[in-house]
Amino acid sequence: MSFELPKLNYSYDSLEPYIDAKTMEIHHSKHHGGYTSKLNAAVEGTALSGKSIEEILSNISNYSAGVRNNGGGFYNHVLFWEIMSLKGGGEPSGKLSDALKKNFGSFDKFKEDFSNAAATRFGSGWAWLIKQDDKLVISSTPNQDNPLMDIADVKGIPILALDVCEHAYYLKYQNRRPDYIEAFWNIINWEAVTERFLAG
Ligand code: MN
C-alpha cells in the first residue's frame, strides 16, 4: 500500500482570485505529486512500508532527509488542500470560535498572531494552528517539517496550516508574501478546521 496524491474536491480555479489556477495546478500536480512519489520511493522495500504517515512523522528523527522532506511535504499538503474552500472565509462558530477566543483573546488577535507567524517564517516553511490537549497554539516550521514530527520545537496536532514556500504564491504575489497571507483568510474552510479540532 503506497501513499496517493489526493484529488482536490474543487477545481484549480476555485480559489481565484486569492490563489490563481496556475499556482494551484503546479502546486498540487507537480509539488505535491513529487513529494508523494518520492516518499513512496523512499519507503518502498524498507521497514516503513505499510506504516501510516502519522506514525512515520512521529519518529522522523530516525529516518533519512528524504523521508523527512517528502513525508512532511505529503502530509502538509493533504491538510492544506482540505482546509481551503471556494466557500471559505469569515470566522468559525461554535466550539472552535470559543476556543480561539479563550486561547488568544479574540478572533482578530488569533488572526494577527497566525499571520505574523506566517510572515516571519524565514525562507520556506509553514504556519500552524495546533491542538495540544485543551490548548490551541500557533507555531511555524521550516521547509516541510510539521508539528507531528518528534524533532518539532512545538508539537501537537495541526488543525490549520498555511504554506509560505515561494512556490505557493510567487506566480501571483512575487515578493508580496503579506498580501498572500491576507488573501488566505478569504478561503479558509472553517468547517474542515472545526472537524479536525473536534477530532484531534
Ligand atoms: Mn507547497
Side-chain angles (χ1 to χ4, degrees):
M1 189 56 199
S2 54
F3 297 103
E4 269 184 52
L5 178 66
K7 286 201 172 66
L8 301 184
N9 60 13
Y10 44 81
S11 58
Y12 288 140
D13 62 1
S14 292
L15 305 179
E16 294 264 14
Y18 307 109
I19 301 181
D20 60 288
K22 193 71 185 167
T23 295
M24 285 298 296
E25 180 186 348
I26 296 170
H27 201 175
H28 176 259
S29 68
K30 306 295 186 197
H31 290 275
H32 198 188
Y35 299 128
T36 307
S37 59
K38 286 178 194 157
L39 174 62
N40 284 327
V43 305
E44 194 187 326
T46 75
L48 295 182
S49 185
K51 288 194 192 299
S52 71
I53 189 63
E54 288 85 357
E55 194 178 353
I56 292 172
L57 296 175
S58 69
N59 293 296
I60 205 72
S61 59
N62 298 314
Y63 310 133
S64 68
V67 174
R68 176 173 167 178
N69 293 330
N70 294 298
F74 172 76
Y75 178 93
N76 296 350
H77 290 83
V78 171
L79 171 61
F80 189 46
W81 310 136
E82 195 186 294
I83 56 84
M84 294 190 290
S85 163
L86 69 169
K87 292 184 213 131
E91 295 184 21
S93 55
K95 287 184 175 160
L96 178 56
S97 171
D98 296 344
L100 288 172
K101 282 178 189 141
K102 187 176 160 210
N103 284 271
F104 302 103
S106 66
F107 178 81
D108 286 345
K109 183 68 168 75
F110 154 69
K111 182 180 171 183
E112 183 188 329
D113 289 356
F114 184 93
S115 295
N116 195 41
T120 56
R121 165 50 55 188
F122 184 76
S124 288
W126 292 76
W128 303 97
L129 177 62
I130 302 166
K131 198 173 171 190
Q132 290 177 337
D133 298 319
D134 288 340
K135 260 178 29 185
L136 289 175
V137 174
I138 289 166
S139 76
S140 75
T141 54
N143 303 311
Q144 298 300 337
D145 288 357
N146 73 40
L148 293 177
M149 292 181 172
D150 58 356
I151 46 130
D153 292 336
V154 183
K155 297 180 192 62
I157 297 167
I159 66 170
L160 175 68
L162 177 58
D163 188 347
V164 292
C165 300
E166 285 188 348
H167 68 231
Y169 63 88
Y170 212 83
L171 283 182
K172 183 178 173 76
Y173 294 96
Q174 293 86 46
N175 61 316
R176 302 185 310 278
R177 189 194 284 186
D179 292 354
Y180 160 72
I181 294 167
E182 189 55 37
F184 176 64
W185 295 96
N186 294 290
I187 46 175
I188 297 176
N189 179 351
W190 287 114
E191 282 176 25
V193 179
T194 299
E195 265 176 45
R196 284 182 171 262
F197 170 68
L198 295 175

